[in-house]
């Protein structure tokens, strides 16, 4: 059995912290939900951060989804494993702008995230996604967090 230093969170503890942090937001602006999601996902974890996913289909109920998955630290490859994680489902307003704002993405790499990290690459990928840029400044109707 591998002992985990007490300074590292279990995935379930990160999930709880994410729920609390989202509940503390004054308004559910997508950029702020994403920022909190990235900050919590960047905290030291007993498992290794394996992947992020962003999905959005405006024809399917106007729900955007942010997902983080974690794998065992000793595992060389996460394929075929039961990856633990959490997902934020953001219910968007009924009307979504046709174009993304020209001022760029507000999502930022949390302080302390190493250069070239998965978090940094995910933020760069979001900046390239017109679908994300189009919804980033919107105030969501709700944001639900699920443990996977």
């Amino acid at each position: 059995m591998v002992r985990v230093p007490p300074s590292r969170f279990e995935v379930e503890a990160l999930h709880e912290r994410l729920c609390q942090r989202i509940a503390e937001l004054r308004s559910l602006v997508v950029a702020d939900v994403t920022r909190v999601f990235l900050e919590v996902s960047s905290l030291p974890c007993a498992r290794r951060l394996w992947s992020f996913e962003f999905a959005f289909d405006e024809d399917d109920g106007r729900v955007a989804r942010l997902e983080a998955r974690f794998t065992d630290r000793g595992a060389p490859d996460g394929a075929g494993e039961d990856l633990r994680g959490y997902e934020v489902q953001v219910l968007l307003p009924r009307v979504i702008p046709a174009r993304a704002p020209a001022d760029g993405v507000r999502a930022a790499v949390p302080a302390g995230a190493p250069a070239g990290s998965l978090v940094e690459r995910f933020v760069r990928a979001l900046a390239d996604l017109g679908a994300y840029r189009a919804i980033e400044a919107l105030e969501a109707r709700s944001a639900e967090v699920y443990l996977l």
Side-chain angles (χ1 to χ4, degrees):
M1 176 176 210
V2 176
R3 289 216 166 262
V4 176
S7 62
R8 292 192 177 179
F9 294 95
E10 294 293 336
V11 172
E12 293 79 7
L14 291 178
H15 168 259
E16 287 178 29
R17 182 169 278 210
L18 182 58
C19 290
Q20 292 168 350
R21 294 280 311 275
I22 287 177
E24 293 169 357
L25 291 174
R26 290 193 154 194
S27 62
L28 292 174
V29 175
V30 173
D32 294 335
V33 172
T34 302
R35 176 185 48 79
V36 167
F37 170 80
L38 291 170
E39 288 171 359
V40 170
S41 299
S42 296
L43 293 172
C45 184
R47 294 178 144 228
R48 179 171 46 110
L49 181 60
W50 178 256
S51 67
F52 283 124
E53 183 177 330
F54 168 77
F56 168 59
D57 182 355
E58 68 178 282
D59 295 328
D60 188 23
R62 305 234 187 298
V63 174
R65 189 172 54 78
L66 294 163
E67 180 182 295
R69 294 283 186 150
F70 299 81
T71 188
D72 289 331
R73 287 204 168 270
D77 184 356
E81 286 187 41
D82 179 29
L83 301 176
R84 302 282 304 157
Y86 42 80
E87 170 182 282
V88 181
Q89 290 185 6
V90 182
L91 181 59
L92 300 167
R94 286 189 167 81
V95 177
I96 296 173
R99 283 196 228 165
D103 60 351
V105 168
R106 293 171 38 197
V109 177
S117 68
L118 181 59
V119 175
E120 182 183 60
R121 293 191 318 259
F122 184 67
V123 170
R124 278 197 321 254
L126 287 178
D128 289 339
L129 290 174
Y132 178 78
R133 291 193 332 267
I135 65 170
E136 186 179 44
L138 299 178
E139 186 168 344
R141 295 165 50 195
S142 68
E144 299 292 328
V145 184
Y146 299 96
L147 186 62
L148 304 173

